[in-house]
Amino acid sequence: MKVPVAVSARHLHLSQKDLDILFGAGYQLTYKKELSQPGQYACNERVEVIGSKGSLTMTILAPLRPDTQVEMSVTDARKIGIDVFARDSGDIKGSAGATLKGPKGEIEIKEGVIIAKRHIHMSPAEAESIGIKDKDHVDVLIEGEDDRGLILKHVLIRTNPDFSADMHIDTDEGNAAGVYNGGFGTVIVNK
């Protein structure tokens, strides 16, 4: 099965409580562009994420979530001095913290900064068609440009009836594989 590959740059998801602190009570995020999965979009608003060595400005993705989560690459984390590890999106318990600064306020999150594990969104029917299910792991061959292709191992499968097949990797992985948004990967099922 071939899947489109999206390179996911640094970004964050905010809770309503944190949005109110950073942008002011009752603030409404503004739409910038649609993302690959239905109902998700990038916002015009940005937040400064501050570590021990510096900071990066990041785009907010919507809709809001129950807990604030910051996603970055290893390169980003090292640059600003945050000790992060790869985790499934949403698995933030015990993860790294950071200071977040918006136009109306600043907060320190004790946890929520992660490197999102590479994963593929797909519908249950798409997964079933190749003999896999939610939470399985596969390998993905990415041809890449300039003879930089590689096989990414242990790619998490995430299924939902609203999902369509789409692989998400971070900028470090995209650069290593020589793939940019618009590339494709071939799923290798290891059974």
Side-chain angles (χ1 to χ4, degrees):
M1 170 186 229
K2 282 205 174 289
V3 294
V5 178
V7 178
S8 182
R10 65 180 83 106
H11 63 272
L12 70 158
H13 306 271
L14 290 176
S15 67
Q16 182 67 59
K17 176 181 71 105
D18 292 345
L19 175 67
D20 288 344
I21 294 168
L22 297 169
F23 288 87
Y27 187 86
Q28 298 290 314
L29 294 170
T30 60
Y31 175 92
K32 181 177 182 179
K33 71 175 184 174
E34 194 72 22
L35 298 176
S36 60
Q37 294 304 310
Q40 298 181 20
Y41 59 93
C43 302
N44 290 304
E45 293 79 6
R46 297 168 64 81
V47 169
E48 184 179 5
V49 179
I50 304 165
S52 64
K53 294 182 188 175
S55 67
L56 293 167
T57 302
M58 298 188 186
T59 297
I60 300 168
L61 301 187
L64 296 175
R65 290 194 178 181
D67 298 300
T68 292
Q69 177 176 297
V70 178
E71 297 180 29
M72 62 178 64
S73 68
V74 173
T75 300
D76 290 336
R78 287 182 180 158
K79 179 179 179 178
I80 65 171
I82 298 178
D83 193 19
V84 296
F85 299 94
R87 292 173 173 250
D88 293 348
S89 181
D91 176 17
I92 62 168
K93 187 168 179 56
S95 61
T99 299
L100 306 181
K101 185 176 181 180
K104 299 286 185 181
E106 185 174 295
I107 55 172
E108 184 170 335
I109 58 171
K110 299 294 184 198
E111 61 186 12
V113 183
I114 67 168
I115 300 163
K117 283 186 180 176
R118 52 187 168 245
H119 58 278
I120 300 173
H121 294 277
M122 62 176 59
S123 70
E126 288 170 320
E128 187 179 321
S129 76
I130 58 171
I132 58 175
K133 63 187 181 318
D134 191 51
K135 305 287 189 222
D136 279 352
H137 288 82
V138 297
D139 297 341
V140 178
L141 169 65
I142 298 178
E143 297 295 336
E145 294 179 12
D146 303 322
D147 296 327
R148 298 197 69 201
L150 49 80
I151 295 176
L152 292 172
K153 302 187 77 57
H154 310 291
V155 179
L156 176 67
I157 299 298
R158 300 182 66 188
T159 66
N160 183 297
D162 295 330
F163 289 165
S164 58
D166 187 41
M167 181 175 178
H168 292 176
I169 60 178
D170 69 26
T171 52
D172 286 349
E173 294 165 323
N175 289 336
V179 69
Y180 311 98
N181 285 326
F184 285 87
T186 304
V187 176
I188 303 167
V189 178
N190 301 310
K191 291 278 180 176

